[in-house]
């Protein structure tokens, strides 16, 4: 009987909102991103996690993403975007630099709790509106 009680208390504690706040990372959500036929070898994985201050951390990792200058049309850099819905303007959340091994990472935070996350190839990393097509994408909803 004692073992059942301990198991029940442990399970309740693990599922409580207090535990989620005190132990960020316990409710981490990881997904594989969809890939455009324009970059068929590319792979993208993203981990979402609730932070202590109520934001959502984004940890994006890509592999086999071609040098953006070799794309048609050529671009200078990959840019990561979030959009709360299809009718809202996308927000540039950072440039994704790809190394010589065709791998890259971007770690950032957003206050949005439901959004589309996508990667485009752009002429510069400071662009405010995506001009290139979506090469990798996924959706997230913390609810």
């Amino acid at each position: 009987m004692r073992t059942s009680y301990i198991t029940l208390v442990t399970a309740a504690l693990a599922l409580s909102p207090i535990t989620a706040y005190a132990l960020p990372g316990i409710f981490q959500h990881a997904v594989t991103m969809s890939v455009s036929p324009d970059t068929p070898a590319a792979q993208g994985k993203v981990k979402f996690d609730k932070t202590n201050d109520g934001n959502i951390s984004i940890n994006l990792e890509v592999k086999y993403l071609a040098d953006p200058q070799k794309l048609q049309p050529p671009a200078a850099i990959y840019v990561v975007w979030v959009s709360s819905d299809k009718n809202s303007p996308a927000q540039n959340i950072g440039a994704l630099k790809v190394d010589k091994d065709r791998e890259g990472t971007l770690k950032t935070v957003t206050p949005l709790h439901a959004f589309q996350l996508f990667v485009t190839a752009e002429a510069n990393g400071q662009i405010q509106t995506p001009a290139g097509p979506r090469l990798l994408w996924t959706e997230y909803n913390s609810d």
Side-chain angles (χ1 to χ4, degrees), residues 35-138:
V35 180
S36 166
D38 294 336
T39 56
Q43 295 177 5
K45 293 189 180 190
V46 60
K47 294 177 185 173
F48 302 102
D49 194 13
K50 293 182 181 179
T51 64
N52 288 340
D53 58 1
N55 291 319
I56 302 297
S57 70
I58 299 169
N59 183 356
L60 172 62
E61 296 179 359
V62 298
K63 292 182 179 180
Y64 314 118
L65 200 55
D67 181 334
Q69 295 174 352
K70 295 182 179 179
L71 297 175
Q72 290 303 320
I77 196 160
Y78 292 103
V79 176
V80 182
W81 306 87
V82 292
S83 177
S84 59
D85 62 50
K86 292 182 181 181
N87 297 322
S88 297
Q91 299 171 1
N92 178 336
I93 60 169
L96 177 64
K97 295 181 182 173
V98 177
D99 65 20
K100 62 179 175 47
D101 295 326
R102 301 185 319 156
E103 297 179 357
T105 60
L106 178 73
K107 295 179 183 180
T108 190
V109 176
T110 182
L112 300 174
H113 286 254
F115 54 89
Q116 299 172 11
L117 176 82
F118 59 97
V119 177
T120 61
E122 304 293 348
N124 73 68
Q126 303 302 315
I127 192 166
Q128 295 301 307
T129 303
R134 294 178 182 207
L135 302 174
L136 295 162
W137 64 90
T138 191

